[in-house]
Amino acid sequence: MKFWKFILLVFMVIGMTSCRDNIGIVDSVASPQAGDEATSIAYSKYEDPIVIRVGFKVPDSRLNTGDSNDNNPITRYLESITNIKVVHSWEAKGEDAFTQKVQLAIDSNDLPDAMVVDRDQLKKLIDNDMIEDLTETYKIYGSELIKDMYNSTKGEALEDASRDGKLYGLPNVAIDADSPVLLWVRQDWLEKLELQPPQTFEDIEKIAKAFIEKDPDGNGKRDTVGLSGYKNIVYGTKPLVNGLDAVFSAFHAFPTNWIKDNNGNIVYGSITPETKQALAKLADWYKRGLLDPDFALYKETQEPIITGKSGMFFGPWWMPYYPLSEAVALDTKAEWRAYTAPVDDSGKFVAHLAPVTDRYLVVRKGFEHPEAVIKQLNVFTRLERRQDPNQEEVKKLGDFSAQTGIQLRAYYPFDLLIDYRDAIEKHYADIQQALHGKIDPDTLNSDTRLIYDQWVAETEQPKKDLEGWKAANAYKYGVAVLTSTAIEGVRGVFYGNTRLMKTKWPELQNLENETFLNIIVGDSPLSDFDAFVAKWKSMGGEEITEEVTELVKQK
């Protein structure tokens, strides 16, 4: 499976009008469940059919059952319990294509009834009075489940989608655990070479050198890699496999993010002295061969991990889901463990924290039934979080997913998954309570019980079921490290675009990417960083910094 295709599936490790719309609504037939008002207005079924025209992001999974993107077992089930028919006004495949299609709809003032937009698009829609104020609609029609999830952000998520006290979109929620970048290490190689687990930069260097020189895979060839890398160096806000963000964080550097420096001034993280220090470290590693010499050449960054050549790489807690599941499938002897490394000079583990939200479900101004959009969000969120009381139908959907390999979320009307901000930590804490006999496993919620069962099964019969292995290892090693480590989190102060960014940012980004890569691989000296900073400022960066500072002050 291609990496980016998987990411679209994963994240992927993610309410609403006025009382006049009550006419024509009847309660759907459903059994109440604890914590879920199944017979309330949030899940009630329309007496007469309602149609919602949406902009749809086409998933990479393919329906080979004769169905279509807007007529398949998932869409038919959602329609059966709501009497809401979802019609695709247009479709776009892939994140970039979808974003462009949304922008075209905004620029041409030809919006579907509902769609998911990014932060800048939300701002433009509000500025031009193109979308509905959902404040009251959300209060009336938002499910308790949805509201609880938003409440877990202490008001941040909804505030991010509001202006002047009015709610203009339903946001996603970033899971806190997804932000920190961990160091994943081949534990079987570590133990074979009798090396200690890594904490510092020096530890990582010692391990990488041994992994390269001491034939840890035992094939008699010098073909193993110390540390893998990502050709674009860092991901910035949402870390994925092989990003080197953790190296920068250990120097208190946060490239591609707007942060406050020690004097309280807003600065662009890519031009700070700390970023220069991190680049010097990576250039040294590359020169010594500790960083994969071919890291910038791979078409798919995870290739050396899956093929068993890499001994270490950086990535978030959920790496066992992918690419480690693929690597272990090819080599069942492989054992991977996660570590919070490297730490900074004072021994602290530092991580950049992603914004609480970055996508928003909006409703076209004048759409007659904005509450129908929220009711759709209610029902597929309930289904996704395994709280849907319609057990027989849900089982059929589960069978469909198992037989086809298609995740249900791929065909929800909107690519907007919501969860509790601390969902991962909660799962882990409850599993630990159950494993140690402090609570009855039968009291676990559906999501947590599934992970618990997979953990127990994996412990009893390691690697017998790779599906279960994914969750068990992600929690047993990835989440366990996160919950047992004191993390010094640094959050950015600005996300989005300014006036000058719209014309100058692409060129500035290209300059940054080229400079960083050239310094690391030795094509440019470290001193070029200072020239880069000066050029970045003169090409508009200094003016953009002033714009960002002013916008932050207005918050």
Side-chain angles (χ1 to χ4, degrees), residues 19-268:
C19 295
R20 75 182 192 281
D21 295 307
N22 290 335
I23 300 173
I25 299 177
V26 297
D27 285 343
S28 61
V29 179
S31 302
Q33 179 171 316
D36 184 5
E37 74 283 35
T39 58
S40 78
I41 195 170
Y43 299 108
S44 57
K45 182 176 181 178
Y46 286 96
E47 186 174 59
D48 298 318
I50 297 293
V51 175
I52 301 177
R53 298 163 50 252
V54 308
F56 183 74
K57 184 164 72 174
V58 179
D60 287 295
S61 55
R62 294 184 179 181
L63 290 162
N64 55 9
T65 54
D67 294 308
S68 62
N69 291 333
D70 57 1
N71 186 6
N72 53 67
I74 300 135
T75 63
R76 288 193 289 270
Y77 170 67
L78 295 177
E79 183 176 349
S80 72
I81 61 174
T82 61
N83 210 11
I84 300 171
K85 183 173 182 59
V86 176
V87 175
H88 295 174
S89 287
W90 46 259
E91 298 181 346
K93 188 168 185 177
E95 193 71 40
D96 291 342
F98 181 80
T99 300
Q100 291 170 10
K101 201 83 170 183
V102 170
Q103 194 61 50
L104 178 61
I106 295 172
D107 293 341
S108 62
N109 196 18
D110 184 20
L111 303 183
D113 299 326
M115 61 181 179
V116 174
V117 302
D118 63 26
R119 179 175 278 103
D120 294 322
Q121 291 165 340
L122 175 68
K123 180 181 183 300
K124 185 169 184 178
L125 288 166
I126 297 174
D127 288 345
N128 291 281
D129 194 27
M130 297 172 71
I131 51 177
E132 284 285 330
D133 170 6
L134 300 173
T135 310
E136 292 304 314
T137 317
Y138 169 70
K139 289 179 182 177
I140 297 170
Y141 292 94
S143 69
E144 288 304 312
L145 177 61
I146 292 286
K147 289 176 178 176
D148 282 348
M149 290 175 174
Y150 284 144
N151 287 341
S152 74
T153 72
K154 296 180 172 60
E156 287 186 52
L158 292 181
E159 182 181 350
D160 200 41
S162 301
R163 183 186 294 181
D164 299 328
K166 296 179 180 180
L167 181 67
Y168 287 97
L170 275 296
N172 65 336
V173 174
I175 295 175
D176 286 343
D178 287 349
S179 291
V181 181
L182 305 175
L183 179 64
W184 289 88
V185 182
R186 274 292 294 263
Q187 188 70 15
D188 53 321
W189 290 5
L190 201 70
E191 293 174 359
K192 178 181 178 180
L193 300 181
E194 298 181 344
L195 298 167
Q196 293 300 308
Q199 287 186 304
T200 65
F201 281 115
E202 292 73 19
D203 294 336
I204 294 173
E205 292 168 8
K206 180 179 179 180
I207 293 169
K209 189 172 187 293
F211 282 177
I212 295 166
E213 297 177 352
K214 296 187 177 181
D215 191 25
D217 61 356
N219 68 353
K221 301 177 182 178
R222 184 165 171 156
D223 59 354
T224 46
V225 171
L227 176 70
S228 294
Y230 169 52
K231 64 182 178 182
N232 290 334
I233 317 302
V234 299
Y235 287 100
T237 56
K238 288 186 176 181
L240 299 173
V241 61
N242 274 342
L244 298 168
D245 305 63
V247 174
F248 288 86
S249 293
F251 284 98
H252 294 238
F254 306 96
T256 78
N257 290 285
W258 293 93
I259 59 171
K260 285 188 177 181
D261 65 14
N262 293 330
N263 297 317
N265 298 316
I266 293 173
V267 296
Y268 183 55

Side-chain angles (χ1 to χ4, degrees), residues 385 387 427 430 441-450:
R385 299 300 157 215
Q387 295 190 25
H427 291 324
D430 289 345
D442 289 338
T443 64
L444 299 174
N445 66 42
S446 300
D447 272 352
T448 309
R449 180 57 190 263
L450 176 62

